[in-house]
Amino acid sequence: MATIRDVAKLADVSVSTVSLALSNPARVSPKTLEKIRHAVAAVGFVADPLAQSLARGRSRMIGFVVGNVGNPFFGDIRRELENYALDHNHFVLVTDSSGKTAREKAMVEHLIGLKTAGLALAPSGHDQDYLDFVAGLNVPIVCFDQKVAGIERDFVGSDNHLAGAMLTEHLLQLGHRRIAFITGPSHMHTATERYRGFTDTMANAGVEVNPNFVVDGQFTRTAGYEAAMRLLIQLERPTAILGANNTVALSALQAMQELGFRCPEDISLAMIDNVQWSSVITPRITMVVQDTLALGGIIARRLMHRITNPQGAVEPPQDFVLTPKFVSGNSCRRV
Amino acid sequence: MATIRDVAKLADVSVSTVSLALSNPARVSPKTLEKIRHAVAAVGFVADPLAQSLARGRSRMIGFVVGNVGNPFFGDIRRELENYALDHNHFVLVTDSSGKTAREKAMVEHLIGLKTAGLALAPSGHDQDYLDFVAGLNVPIVCFDQKVAGIERDFVGSDNHLAGAMLTEHLLQLGHRRIAFITGPSHMHTATERYRGFTDTMANAGVEVNPNFVVDGQFTRTAGYEAAMRLLIQLERPTAILGANNTVALSALQAMQELGFRCPEDISLAMIDNVQWSSVITPRITMVVQDTLALGGIIARRLMHRITNPQGAVEPPQDFVLTPKFVSGNSCRRV
DNA sequence: CAGTTCTATCGAACCGGTTCGATTTAATCA
DNA sequence: TGATTAAATCGAACCGGTTCGATAGAACTG
């Protein structure tokens, strides 16, 4: 591998001039620049990013930290970020914490060690320890998905209260009154907001929420399945189930199928967030989806802004909250 | 951030002794080691991975390069690799090439620039250029999924010929004769092998393959959809469709639903590779799945072996081919 | 006890760039 | 034309570690 000294020798200039010419061509005389360009081409010089990062104290890499890269929600955002970053000469490193806070911390620390220029982070924690950890990170960071109280960073996400409210309203309009809600973890902002959207809308409509109809699905497959089962074995069953996210809703669908309930004939179902291949799932689930492309675009732009603009680093954090979209399926029937 | 020189100063030894003590404690006297340990703790020293990588010429990072991290097949493998790597003090960097060879090259080059210890690569190319490129990479590499002729590297994958054959045999057993096949890109080993498995089995059974029943789905959603449409509008329709991968098969299911065909009553469907939530897709597709956990485990072990063992680097490349598994659904009916 | 072999530690060079103050050269001004 | 200023280039220090040959002292040998 050719080094900058090889180039300097061949071009018959000093190493520092080569470095200067490469990073700021305008500050070098045209003929010197030409010599250096020739030499670079001749020896096939490519700057070592590691050495560069070490010397500069920062790299051209962006860390993307989420709990599940396989989730299409994160996948779409990743793609948007990646495209934008590549256009701006940055490189995205993806890491998956599997939702574990400890692993996330380790990964973030590793990324910081790599002198990443910035981080797109879907926070997995919420306690004081975690807040301190994030606050202590001295890099541009854009948080997304989960709004965590106490984190003073840019945030990009959707209006989750509205998402819950939209689906609840839809079910109410169809005549449902016995509506069940499968929640997510109570420490997650998305989960509590969606749930609030549900209860607020129910209250506004003057419909009481049956406490037995609120079960905890933890946003996971197993817990969602169990929660759904708990709903379905009740003597007085709900006429509609609202899943706080895609995983618990589809687990509920599976539980319904296994117990022989038909959807929507016996029980209606609605969910927040899309999944891959939702178009071939029968019935097509009525859902509220987030605009992942827009979210990804905003995250990308905001992060690159903070990274590239000198004063961008000190701008006060800002929240970007998008309106989710209602997508009608055929999983909800009129009662 | 504390540096190694801070530690050296506090422990009153030379920098090189500190470095030695940290990387090879046995070669330092017990009392010196103790002093250094104290100093490390006192200043909170953590070695800068960048500086370390630069000096050593290699890092503790492993690059994971695939065309679609969202695909659960790759997701499962990634998880296995990651767990194993973390246990062995290595760190996985995930990159997604979106299936584009050019982008994959750029990403691999970047990873090499980062002095990654090794690469788990799902190759996206096949031409001479690409072969030369891969051959020129001077890092431990384990290829998986696509077996590319001419790449002299470890390979981990499944018996794709068998996968195609199993499903074909199953359909033949059920009495089907007019079996259609939606293929993948002809330059992909998995695609051609699966197709060969189909044709060989058909030939063995003495059943002729109708050329109109073989359509190209490119392993993509749009092409798969088009291909399926082309099958479904024929006057003499197939009684069964075999999708060479999950994407084309599910696209076919969608096409069938849109045209009003019922599966399996009107047309049977089978596919190779699982998808997320296949359990709630109606009907449950009969399929042949790869043992992703085993594949991931082998990839991880093989790669770490080459990385950590001095002589591991020069071992001749080896192929690991696993037997896929038949998973019965209810998408195929007897005719 | 002189000669040899370990063992523990050190100093200096190195990995491959960047950066900044100093110096040389060229251009502008009185 | 000599003084002043700007532009171009250079040298050396630095980023934060690793590595290897050198050295000094301890332990072993005959």
Side-chain angles (χ1 to χ4, degrees), chain A residues 232-284:
Chain A
L232 296 173
I233 58 170
Q234 295 183 25
L235 215 67
E236 184 161 320
R237 272 185 297 279
T239 60
I241 296 178
L242 210 167
N245 82 341
N246 45 17
T247 307
V248 297
L250 291 179
S251 301
L253 179 60
Q254 185 172 356
M256 284 162 62
Q257 288 176 350
E258 286 176 14
L259 293 186
F261 292 104
R262 290 160 308 163
C263 178
E265 291 81 358
D266 300 322
I267 299 175
S268 294
L269 181 67
M271 71 180 180
I272 297 174
D273 279 355
N274 204 345
V275 290
Q276 249 185 332
W277 296 111
S278 55
S279 59
V280 294
I281 291 174
T282 313
R284 264 224 304 291

Short mmCIF file of all heavy atoms in Angstrom, two decimals, chain A residues 232-284:
data_model
loop_
_atom_site.label_atom_id
_atom_site.label_comp_id
_atom_site.label_asym_id
_atom_site.label_seq_id
_atom_site.Cartn_x
_atom_site.Cartn_y
_atom_site.Cartn_z
N LEU A 232 -58.45 -13.84 24.49
CA LEU A 232 -59.35 -14.71 23.73
C LEU A 232 -60.05 -15.76 24.57
O LEU A 232 -61.06 -16.32 24.16
CB LEU A 232 -58.56 -15.39 22.60
CG LEU A 232 -57.99 -14.42 21.55
CD1 LEU A 232 -57.08 -15.16 20.58
CD2 LEU A 232 -59.12 -13.73 20.80
N ILE A 233 -59.49 -16.06 25.75
CA ILE A 233 -60.13 -17.09 26.57
C ILE A 233 -61.16 -16.50 27.53
O ILE A 233 -61.77 -17.23 28.30
CB ILE A 233 -59.07 -17.87 27.39
CG1 ILE A 233 -58.29 -16.90 28.27
CG2 ILE A 233 -58.14 -18.66 26.48
CD1 ILE A 233 -57.39 -17.58 29.28
N GLN A 234 -61.32 -15.19 27.49
CA GLN A 234 -62.30 -14.58 28.38
C GLN A 234 -63.72 -14.93 27.93
O GLN A 234 -63.98 -15.09 26.74
CB GLN A 234 -62.13 -13.06 28.43
CG GLN A 234 -60.79 -12.65 29.03
CD GLN A 234 -60.63 -11.15 29.15
OE1 GLN A 234 -61.63 -10.44 29.22
NE2 GLN A 234 -59.40 -10.70 29.19
N LEU A 235 -64.58 -15.02 28.91
CA LEU A 235 -65.96 -15.36 28.59
C LEU A 235 -66.59 -14.26 27.74
O LEU A 235 -67.22 -14.51 26.72
CB LEU A 235 -66.76 -15.53 29.90
CG LEU A 235 -67.82 -16.61 29.82
CD1 LEU A 235 -67.17 -17.98 29.67
CD2 LEU A 235 -68.72 -16.56 31.04
N GLU A 236 -66.38 -13.04 28.20
CA GLU A 236 -66.89 -11.90 27.45
C GLU A 236 -65.74 -11.32 26.64
O GLU A 236 -64.96 -10.51 27.12
CB GLU A 236 -67.44 -10.84 28.41
CG GLU A 236 -68.07 -9.66 27.70
CD GLU A 236 -68.99 -8.91 28.66
OE1 GLU A 236 -69.69 -9.56 29.45
OE2 GLU A 236 -68.98 -7.68 28.62
N ARG A 237 -65.66 -11.77 25.41
CA ARG A 237 -64.52 -11.41 24.59
C ARG A 237 -64.65 -10.02 24.00
O ARG A 237 -65.76 -9.53 23.79
CB ARG A 237 -64.38 -12.40 23.44
CG ARG A 237 -63.55 -13.62 23.77
CD ARG A 237 -63.39 -14.45 22.52
NE ARG A 237 -64.66 -14.94 22.04
CZ ARG A 237 -65.26 -16.02 22.55
NH1 ARG A 237 -64.70 -16.70 23.51
NH2 ARG A 237 -66.42 -16.39 22.07
N PRO A 238 -63.52 -9.40 23.68
CA PRO A 238 -63.58 -8.12 22.93
C PRO A 238 -64.06 -8.39 21.52
O PRO A 238 -63.92 -9.50 21.00
CB PRO A 238 -62.12 -7.65 22.92
CG PRO A 238 -61.30 -8.88 23.16
CD PRO A 238 -62.14 -9.78 24.02
N THR A 239 -64.64 -7.37 20.90
CA THR A 239 -65.03 -7.50 19.50
C THR A 239 -63.92 -7.01 18.58
O THR A 239 -63.94 -7.23 17.39
CB THR A 239 -66.29 -6.68 19.20
OG1 THR A 239 -66.02 -5.30 19.48
CG2 THR A 239 -67.45 -7.15 20.07
N ALA A 240 -62.97 -6.30 19.18
CA ALA A 240 -61.84 -5.80 18.38
C ALA A 240 -60.58 -5.76 19.25
O ALA A 240 -60.65 -5.50 20.45
CB ALA A 240 -62.13 -4.41 17.85
N ILE A 241 -59.46 -6.03 18.60
CA ILE A 241 -58.18 -5.97 19.30
C ILE A 241 -57.30 -4.96 18.59
O ILE A 241 -57.17 -4.97 17.36
CB ILE A 241 -57.49 -7.34 19.32
CG1 ILE A 241 -58.31 -8.35 20.13
CG2 ILE A 241 -56.08 -7.22 19.90
CD1 ILE A 241 -57.72 -9.75 20.16
N LEU A 242 -56.67 -4.12 19.40
CA LEU A 242 -55.77 -3.12 18.84
C LEU A 242 -54.37 -3.43 19.35
O LEU A 242 -54.13 -3.43 20.57
CB LEU A 242 -56.23 -1.73 19.32
CG LEU A 242 -55.98 -0.54 18.43
CD1 LEU A 242 -56.77 0.66 18.93
CD2 LEU A 242 -54.52 -0.19 18.38
N GLY A 243 -53.48 -3.73 18.44
CA GLY A 243 -52.10 -4.06 18.83
C GLY A 243 -51.23 -2.82 18.79
O GLY A 243 -51.21 -2.11 17.79
N ALA A 244 -50.51 -2.59 19.87
CA ALA A 244 -49.71 -1.37 19.96
C ALA A 244 -48.51 -1.39 19.01
O ALA A 244 -47.91 -0.34 18.76
CB ALA A 244 -49.23 -1.15 21.39
N ASN A 245 -48.16 -2.55 18.53
CA ASN A 245 -47.19 -2.57 17.43
C ASN A 245 -47.43 -3.79 16.55
O ASN A 245 -48.31 -4.62 16.84
CB ASN A 245 -45.74 -2.49 17.93
CG ASN A 245 -45.18 -3.83 18.38
OD1 ASN A 245 -45.93 -4.75 18.65
ND2 ASN A 245 -43.89 -3.90 18.45
N ASN A 246 -46.66 -3.89 15.49
CA ASN A 246 -46.87 -4.96 14.51
C ASN A 246 -46.70 -6.35 15.14
O ASN A 246 -47.49 -7.26 14.90
CB ASN A 246 -45.93 -4.78 13.32
CG ASN A 246 -44.51 -4.44 13.75
OD1 ASN A 246 -44.13 -4.65 14.90
ND2 ASN A 246 -43.71 -3.93 12.81
N THR A 247 -45.67 -6.49 15.97
CA THR A 247 -45.38 -7.80 16.52
C THR A 247 -46.52 -8.35 17.37
O THR A 247 -46.95 -9.49 17.19
CB THR A 247 -44.10 -7.73 17.38
OG1 THR A 247 -43.06 -7.15 16.60
CG2 THR A 247 -43.67 -9.11 17.83
N VAL A 248 -47.01 -7.54 18.30
CA VAL A 248 -48.07 -8.05 19.18
C VAL A 248 -49.37 -8.28 18.39
O VAL A 248 -50.10 -9.23 18.66
CB VAL A 248 -48.33 -7.11 20.38
CG1 VAL A 248 -47.08 -7.03 21.25
CG2 VAL A 248 -48.78 -5.74 19.94
N ALA A 249 -49.62 -7.44 17.40
CA ALA A 249 -50.84 -7.60 16.62
C ALA A 249 -50.81 -8.90 15.83
O ALA A 249 -51.78 -9.66 15.79
CB ALA A 249 -51.03 -6.41 15.69
N LEU A 250 -49.68 -9.17 15.19
CA LEU A 250 -49.60 -10.39 14.39
C LEU A 250 -49.56 -11.63 15.27
O LEU A 250 -50.07 -12.69 14.89
CB LEU A 250 -48.39 -10.33 13.46
CG LEU A 250 -48.56 -9.28 12.36
CD1 LEU A 250 -47.33 -9.22 11.47
CD2 LEU A 250 -49.79 -9.60 11.52
N SER A 251 -48.98 -11.50 16.45
CA SER A 251 -49.04 -12.61 17.41
C SER A 251 -50.49 -12.87 17.78
O SER A 251 -50.91 -14.03 17.92
CB SER A 251 -48.26 -12.27 18.68
OG SER A 251 -46.92 -12.00 18.36
N ALA A 252 -51.25 -11.80 17.92
CA ALA A 252 -52.67 -11.95 18.24
C ALA A 252 -53.40 -12.64 17.10
O ALA A 252 -54.25 -13.51 17.32
CB ALA A 252 -53.28 -10.58 18.52
N LEU A 253 -53.04 -12.27 15.87
CA LEU A 253 -53.67 -12.90 14.72
C LEU A 253 -53.38 -14.40 14.73
O LEU A 253 -54.26 -15.23 14.49
CB LEU A 253 -53.14 -12.27 13.42
CG LEU A 253 -53.70 -12.88 12.13
CD1 LEU A 253 -55.21 -12.72 12.09
CD2 LEU A 253 -53.06 -12.25 10.91
N GLN A 254 -52.16 -14.73 15.05
CA GLN A 254 -51.79 -16.13 15.11
C GLN A 254 -52.60 -16.86 16.19
O GLN A 254 -53.13 -17.96 15.95
CB GLN A 254 -50.28 -16.26 15.40
CG GLN A 254 -49.80 -17.70 15.34
CD GLN A 254 -48.29 -17.80 15.42
OE1 GLN A 254 -47.60 -16.78 15.45
NE2 GLN A 254 -47.80 -19.00 15.47
N ALA A 255 -52.70 -16.24 17.34
CA ALA A 255 -53.48 -16.84 18.43
C ALA A 255 -54.93 -17.03 18.01
O ALA A 255 -55.53 -18.09 18.25
CB ALA A 255 -53.40 -15.94 19.66
N MET A 256 -55.47 -16.04 17.34
CA MET A 256 -56.86 -16.14 16.87
C MET A 256 -57.02 -17.30 15.92
O MET A 256 -57.96 -18.10 16.03
CB MET A 256 -57.26 -14.83 16.19
CG MET A 256 -57.55 -13.69 17.16
SD MET A 256 -57.52 -12.06 16.37
CE MET A 256 -58.84 -12.21 15.19
N GLN A 257 -56.09 -17.39 14.98
CA GLN A 257 -56.16 -18.48 14.00
C GLN A 257 -56.07 -19.83 14.70
O GLN A 257 -56.81 -20.77 14.38
CB GLN A 257 -55.04 -18.34 12.98
CG GLN A 257 -55.26 -17.20 12.00
CD GLN A 257 -54.09 -17.01 11.05
OE1 GLN A 257 -53.03 -17.61 11.25
NE2 GLN A 257 -54.27 -16.18 10.04
N GLU A 258 -55.20 -19.93 15.66
CA GLU A 258 -55.00 -21.22 16.33
C GLU A 258 -56.21 -21.63 17.15
O GLU A 258 -56.51 -22.81 17.30
CB GLU A 258 -53.75 -21.16 17.20
CG GLU A 258 -52.48 -21.20 16.37
CD GLU A 258 -51.23 -21.06 17.20
OE1 GLU A 258 -51.32 -21.19 18.44
OE2 GLU A 258 -50.17 -20.82 16.61
N LEU A 259 -56.93 -20.64 17.69
CA LEU A 259 -58.12 -20.97 18.48
C LEU A 259 -59.37 -21.08 17.60
O LEU A 259 -60.46 -21.34 18.10
CB LEU A 259 -58.33 -19.91 19.56
CG LEU A 259 -57.27 -19.86 20.66
CD1 LEU A 259 -57.68 -18.88 21.75
CD2 LEU A 259 -57.06 -21.24 21.27
N GLY A 260 -59.20 -20.81 16.33
CA GLY A 260 -60.33 -20.96 15.43
C GLY A 260 -61.20 -19.72 15.27
O GLY A 260 -62.29 -19.79 14.70
N PHE A 261 -60.73 -18.61 15.76
CA PHE A 261 -61.48 -17.36 15.53
C PHE A 261 -61.16 -16.84 14.13
O PHE A 261 -60.02 -16.88 13.69
CB PHE A 261 -61.10 -16.30 16.56
CG PHE A 261 -61.54 -16.63 17.95
CD1 PHE A 261 -60.63 -17.08 18.89
CD2 PHE A 261 -62.87 -16.50 18.33
CE1 PHE A 261 -61.03 -17.40 20.17
CE2 PHE A 261 -63.28 -16.81 19.61
CZ PHE A 261 -62.36 -17.26 20.55
N ARG A 262 -62.21 -16.32 13.48
CA ARG A 262 -61.96 -15.72 12.19
C ARG A 262 -61.83 -14.21 12.34
O ARG A 262 -62.52 -13.61 13.17
CB ARG A 262 -63.11 -16.05 11.22
CG ARG A 262 -63.16 -17.52 10.80
CD ARG A 262 -64.54 -17.84 10.27
NE ARG A 262 -65.56 -17.42 11.24
CZ ARG A 262 -66.84 -17.26 10.93
NH1 ARG A 262 -67.26 -17.48 9.70
NH2 ARG A 262 -67.71 -16.88 11.85
N CYS A 263 -60.96 -13.68 11.53
CA CYS A 263 -60.76 -12.23 11.53
C CYS A 263 -61.12 -11.74 10.14
O CYS A 263 -60.60 -12.27 9.16
CB CYS A 263 -59.31 -11.89 11.86
SG CYS A 263 -58.95 -10.13 11.83
N PRO A 264 -62.03 -10.79 9.97
CA PRO A 264 -62.64 -9.97 11.02
C PRO A 264 -64.01 -10.47 11.48
O PRO A 264 -64.61 -9.82 12.33
CB PRO A 264 -62.81 -8.64 10.30
CG PRO A 264 -63.12 -9.03 8.90
CD PRO A 264 -62.38 -10.30 8.63
N GLU A 265 -64.51 -11.61 10.94
CA GLU A 265 -65.87 -12.02 11.26
C GLU A 265 -66.10 -12.10 12.77
O GLU A 265 -67.10 -11.59 13.28
CB GLU A 265 -66.20 -13.36 10.60
CG GLU A 265 -66.31 -13.29 9.07
CD GLU A 265 -64.95 -13.32 8.40
OE1 GLU A 265 -63.91 -13.35 9.11
OE2 GLU A 265 -64.90 -13.30 7.16
N ASP A 266 -65.20 -12.78 13.46
CA ASP A 266 -65.38 -12.95 14.89
C ASP A 266 -64.78 -11.78 15.69
O ASP A 266 -65.39 -11.28 16.62
CB ASP A 266 -64.75 -14.26 15.36
CG ASP A 266 -65.37 -15.46 14.66
OD1 ASP A 266 -66.60 -15.44 14.45
OD2 ASP A 266 -64.63 -16.40 14.30
N ILE A 267 -63.59 -11.43 15.31
CA ILE A 267 -62.90 -10.36 16.03
C ILE A 267 -62.15 -9.49 15.02
O ILE A 267 -61.50 -9.99 14.10
CB ILE A 267 -61.87 -10.95 17.03
CG1 ILE A 267 -62.61 -11.81 18.08
CG2 ILE A 267 -61.09 -9.84 17.72
CD1 ILE A 267 -61.68 -12.52 19.03
N SER A 268 -62.25 -8.19 15.19
CA SER A 268 -61.52 -7.26 14.33
C SER A 268 -60.12 -7.04 14.91
O SER A 268 -59.88 -7.23 16.10
CB SER A 268 -62.25 -5.93 14.24
OG SER A 268 -63.48 -6.11 13.57
N LEU A 269 -59.22 -6.63 14.02
CA LEU A 269 -57.83 -6.43 14.45
C LEU A 269 -57.24 -5.21 13.75
O LEU A 269 -57.47 -5.00 12.56
CB LEU A 269 -57.00 -7.68 14.13
CG LEU A 269 -55.53 -7.67 14.53
CD1 LEU A 269 -55.38 -7.68 16.05
CD2 LEU A 269 -54.81 -8.88 13.93
N ALA A 270 -56.50 -4.43 14.50
CA ALA A 270 -55.80 -3.28 13.90
C ALA A 270 -54.45 -3.14 14.58
O ALA A 270 -54.27 -3.60 15.71
CB ALA A 270 -56.62 -2.01 14.09
N MET A 271 -53.52 -2.54 13.86
CA MET A 271 -52.19 -2.45 14.46
C MET A 271 -51.45 -1.17 14.05
O MET A 271 -51.82 -0.50 13.09
CB MET A 271 -51.34 -3.66 14.07
CG MET A 271 -50.89 -3.71 12.62
SD MET A 271 -49.90 -5.20 12.28
CE MET A 271 -49.53 -4.98 10.55
N ILE A 272 -50.44 -0.88 14.81
CA ILE A 272 -49.57 0.24 14.48
C ILE A 272 -48.25 -0.31 13.96
O ILE A 272 -47.70 -1.23 14.54
CB ILE A 272 -49.35 1.12 15.73
CG1 ILE A 272 -50.68 1.71 16.19
CG2 ILE A 272 -48.34 2.23 15.43
CD1 ILE A 272 -50.60 2.48 17.49
N ASP A 273 -47.81 0.24 12.86
CA ASP A 273 -46.59 -0.16 12.15
C ASP A 273 -46.83 -1.31 11.18
O ASP A 273 -47.54 -2.26 11.48
CB ASP A 273 -45.45 -0.58 13.11
CG ASP A 273 -44.72 0.63 13.65
OD1 ASP A 273 -45.03 1.75 13.21
OD2 ASP A 273 -43.85 0.44 14.52
N ASN A 274 -46.17 -1.17 10.07
CA ASN A 274 -46.28 -2.14 8.99
C ASN A 274 -45.33 -3.32 9.23
O ASN A 274 -44.49 -3.26 10.12
CB ASN A 274 -45.91 -1.44 7.68
CG ASN A 274 -46.52 -2.12 6.48
OD1 ASN A 274 -46.99 -3.25 6.56
ND2 ASN A 274 -46.51 -1.43 5.36
N VAL A 275 -45.51 -4.35 8.47
CA VAL A 275 -44.49 -5.41 8.39
C VAL A 275 -44.27 -5.73 6.93
O VAL A 275 -45.08 -5.36 6.07
CB VAL A 275 -44.92 -6.73 9.09
CG1 VAL A 275 -44.96 -6.58 10.59
CG2 VAL A 275 -46.24 -7.22 8.54
N GLN A 276 -43.17 -6.41 6.67
CA GLN A 276 -42.94 -6.86 5.32
C GLN A 276 -44.03 -7.84 4.96
O GLN A 276 -44.52 -8.58 5.81
CB GLN A 276 -41.59 -7.57 5.25
CG GLN A 276 -40.57 -6.78 4.46
CD GLN A 276 -39.30 -7.55 4.29
OE1 GLN A 276 -38.96 -8.37 5.13
NE2 GLN A 276 -38.58 -7.28 3.22
N TRP A 277 -44.42 -7.86 3.74
CA TRP A 277 -45.39 -8.83 3.23
C TRP A 277 -46.75 -8.70 3.87
O TRP A 277 -47.52 -9.66 3.87
CB TRP A 277 -44.86 -10.27 3.42
CG TRP A 277 -43.64 -10.48 2.62
CD1 TRP A 277 -42.37 -10.66 3.09
CD2 TRP A 277 -43.55 -10.51 1.19
NE1 TRP A 277 -41.50 -10.80 2.04
CE2 TRP A 277 -42.19 -10.72 0.87
CE3 TRP A 277 -44.48 -10.39 0.17
CZ2 TRP A 277 -41.74 -10.79 -0.44
CZ3 TRP A 277 -44.03 -10.46 -1.14
CH2 TRP A 277 -42.67 -10.66 -1.43
N SER A 278 -47.06 -7.54 4.42
CA SER A 278 -48.39 -7.37 4.99
C SER A 278 -49.45 -7.56 3.90
O SER A 278 -50.58 -7.92 4.19
CB SER A 278 -48.53 -6.00 5.63
OG SER A 278 -48.21 -4.99 4.71
N SER A 279 -49.05 -7.35 2.67
CA SER A 279 -50.03 -7.45 1.58
C SER A 279 -50.48 -8.88 1.33
O SER A 279 -51.52 -9.09 0.73
CB SER A 279 -49.45 -6.86 0.29
OG SER A 279 -48.28 -7.54 -0.06
N VAL A 280 -49.73 -9.86 1.79
CA VAL A 280 -50.17 -11.24 1.57
C VAL A 280 -50.66 -11.90 2.86
O VAL A 280 -50.92 -13.09 2.90
CB VAL A 280 -49.06 -12.12 0.94
CG1 VAL A 280 -48.75 -11.64 -0.45
CG2 VAL A 280 -47.83 -12.15 1.80
N ILE A 281 -50.70 -11.10 3.92
CA ILE A 281 -51.27 -11.64 5.15
C ILE A 281 -52.79 -11.50 5.07
O ILE A 281 -53.30 -10.44 4.69
CB ILE A 281 -50.72 -10.89 6.37
CG1 ILE A 281 -49.24 -11.24 6.54
CG2 ILE A 281 -51.50 -11.26 7.63
CD1 ILE A 281 -48.55 -10.47 7.63
N THR A 282 -53.47 -12.59 5.39
CA THR A 282 -54.93 -12.58 5.32
C THR A 282 -55.50 -12.58 6.73
O THR A 282 -55.14 -13.44 7.52
CB THR A 282 -55.44 -13.82 4.56
OG1 THR A 282 -54.69 -13.98 3.37
CG2 THR A 282 -56.91 -13.68 4.25
N PRO A 283 -56.41 -11.67 7.05
CA PRO A 283 -56.84 -10.54 6.22
C PRO A 283 -55.75 -9.46 6.19
O PRO A 283 -54.85 -9.48 7.01
CB PRO A 283 -58.06 -10.04 6.97
CG PRO A 283 -57.72 -10.32 8.41
CD PRO A 283 -56.99 -11.62 8.40
N ARG A 284 -55.89 -8.53 5.27
CA ARG A 284 -54.96 -7.40 5.27
C ARG A 284 -55.30 -6.55 6.48
O ARG A 284 -56.44 -6.08 6.62
CB ARG A 284 -55.10 -6.59 3.99
CG ARG A 284 -54.08 -6.99 2.95
CD ARG A 284 -53.43 -5.79 2.27
NE ARG A 284 -54.42 -4.91 1.68
CZ ARG A 284 -55.17 -5.24 0.63
NH1 ARG A 284 -55.04 -6.43 0.07
NH2 ARG A 284 -56.03 -4.38 0.16
#
